[in-house]
Amino acid sequence: MSEDESRQSPSEPTPPPAPEPVSVPRQRRSFGQFLLAIDAFVDTVLWTIGSALRRTFESYDAFLRRFRARGIWRALAELGSDACTYGAIGLVIVLAFAQPAFEATRYADWRTTDDFAVTFLDRFGKEIGKRGIVLNDTVPLEEIPDVLIKATLATEDRRFFSHFGIDIVGTFRAMVENARAGGVVQGGSSLTQQLAKNLFLSNERTLGRKIKEAYLALWLEANLTKQEILKLYLDRAYMGGGVFGVTAAAEFYFNKNVRELTLAESAMLAGLYKAPTKYAPHVNLPAARARANEVLTNMVQAGLLTEGQVIGARRNPAIAVDRSQDQLPEYFLDWALEEVKKLARRNPALARDRIVTVRTTLDPALQRQADLAVEATLRDNAKARDVGSAALAAMVPDGAVVAMVGGRSYGDSQFNRAVNALRQPGSAFKPFVYMAAFMNGYSKDSIVPDRPITIGGWSPRNYGRSYRGPVSLKVALTKSINTVPVRLAQAIGRDKIVETAYAMGITNELKISKSLPLGASDVSVLDMAASYSTFANGGLKATPYAIVEVKNSDGTVLYNRDRDEMEAPRVLPTDKVEEMNEILVNVVEAGTGRRARIDGVVAAGKTGTTSAYRDAWFVGYTGNFTAAVWFGNDDFTSTRRVTGGSLPAMTWQAFMDYAHRDIDLSPMPGVDAADLARFPKALVKDESENRPQPRVLNRQTQGVLRDIGKALSAISPLASAAPAESTPPTDVAARQ
């Protein structure tokens, strides 16, 4: 027996062999189980984080419990805690409000955006004014007089070099002074804040603007040096008289280079920052000198100069250039500058070279007459008729603006009522309604009933509270009936009226309402003149423009209208325009615009008067010119029954009568003067007799000239020929 066999006991059974492992296939987890696993993991992580935060907070709370504040210290702690909490919330809210302001800082050229130094010429090439801002590299900060910089800092921001963009001390001081005075007597804005407003914001007095101003001031301080901020401020500040920056102001007020300014002159310029219109020396020299004296006092109080150093400037105040006779077309220049900026956005060459000379469409003689006509009407009627403001825009039928009056006094208000004011046109809007009707199957002879109509509870009534029954469209527009255009709008759709008005030249949004046909939507004076010019030129679009040619500082022509602009598109059919012209001529001859008649000239137009006599219009045209005139009050209060057929028509007539003297009269499309009752006799005269003669010299002067001529002819036959070869110069001759 072997050894292995001897080890096995007969009583112990032999163990069975181990079973071979059986491979069991792994079961796949379902998608639902996978999502449950993710949910469990997220729950675990959140629970763990929450537990950790809870333990941390409990530990922090236990730590703080060691410190117990009582009495006044507890109150201060509570106030401080609440201040931090609500301050953080307020900071987030204010930052949200300031976000739109920061959009302007994204432009890479924000320092020079809209920075132009523009010399404007009239249509004949004579300089009429300047606008814009002198570029930064024109006069370095180091060359600006030290006394001007000190006067600026002493008056506007004494802690300019020590604060971070917002002068907290100055703001608190201004709040205290304003509270004492019960009104705004001091401004709390730092110089940086004022620059932020000049660069990016408007002049509106709202909380939102102040918030944006504060954030932009901090942004400027973070991105510019103090010297750069000061230089930009000196170049961007409005100094009155339509000029910006101390360099332009030195030339305008003193005919000096800014480097040559004296202490007295520097003080007078520094006084303009607060209220440039009020303290402009060419408007109110005594007020300007009084303000300059305050600036000198500020310099002494700030420790920048001594009383002995300023005593000479007090005793010998600055003498400004007398510009009372300049009569610059300020409103036109403001608008022309905006047109230059618009042109630069689509003209890369102009966008690069911003020191330019611009020849405009302005006619200086017509501009003077427009100013005189508006001022004469207001002077004679303002108090009696409770009307305080007016505007006028005149152009040739292609859209070239020759005269613009944006208000009674540019010195009192720079707001351009001819361009920026939006007022209801009243019945002056009706030609848009009738033209839309003509383009949709109606004609001037179509009959529409003039009788009461009610639309959704609104019942328009005629001016005389009476009704004529069935009338033709020619009669309805001539007599300015209200129910007829309302019925036309119901028939053709108000959307078509709006489309027609936009096509003719209205740029402001017109609200489609029941009262739209009666002129309830706001429009501008300039848009109305442009739209009526479409009638005057036979149906072509007449986009208002002021720029004829632009040259850079080297004399290179950057823009020429004839070369760079396309021909005006046709927007109205010729035959429909001729129908409209026949009606609107009838308005002047036999309708509400009879006060707009011009001797020897075929004129057309339409009056407009809004409810409560808030707005009064006359918009009219001839073959040569179109003009829109508005009278009213800036605060929308009612006038004393001023209608479009009164003061506006009279002003229009005074301007247009002058404009048509000694010029070749252009025909009006579709209108034959021989068909008008008051024209045939004038037409049979000799051509030289039919031409209106300029009335420049009075009769007494003309008699003296005749006597001189007779005396000269008696002395020498040669002398008698001299007067025949030369005529006295007149404003009209200058326009030829």
Side-chain angles (χ1 to χ4, degrees), residues 358-480:
V358 177
R359 184 161 64 89
T360 69
T361 58
L362 185 85
D363 187 316
L366 294 183
Q367 179 63 50
R368 284 193 295 271
Q369 181 60 23
D371 290 329
L372 290 173
V374 170
E375 175 57 29
T377 304
L378 286 173
R379 184 180 60 247
D380 297 339
N381 299 276
K383 291 184 178 179
R385 306 298 293 272
D386 288 338
V387 57
S389 190
L392 181 151
M395 60 183 65
V396 296
D398 73 336
V401 177
V402 295
M404 178 179 290
V405 180
R408 186 172 187 178
S409 172
Y410 187 83
D412 294 338
S413 172
Q414 290 82 51
F415 180 68
N416 193 336
R417 294 156 187 82
V419 178
N420 300 320
L422 298 176
R423 305 297 290 246
Q424 293 183 358
S427 295
F429 188 83
K430 290 177 182 176
F432 299 108
V433 181
Y434 284 78
M435 179 52 65
F438 290 169
M439 297 173 67
N440 285 274
Y442 288 81
S443 71
K444 62 183 178 62
D445 298 319
S446 299
I447 303 298
V448 176
D450 172 25
R451 59 171 179 257
I453 180 174
T454 300
I455 304 174
W458 175 66
S459 301
R461 294 180 292 184
N462 294 328
Y463 180 76
R465 307 297 176 91
S466 61
Y467 303 92
R468 294 172 176 263
V471 294
S472 67
L473 296 190
K474 180 177 181 179
V475 172
L477 186 53
T478 299
K479 301 302 180 182
S480 199

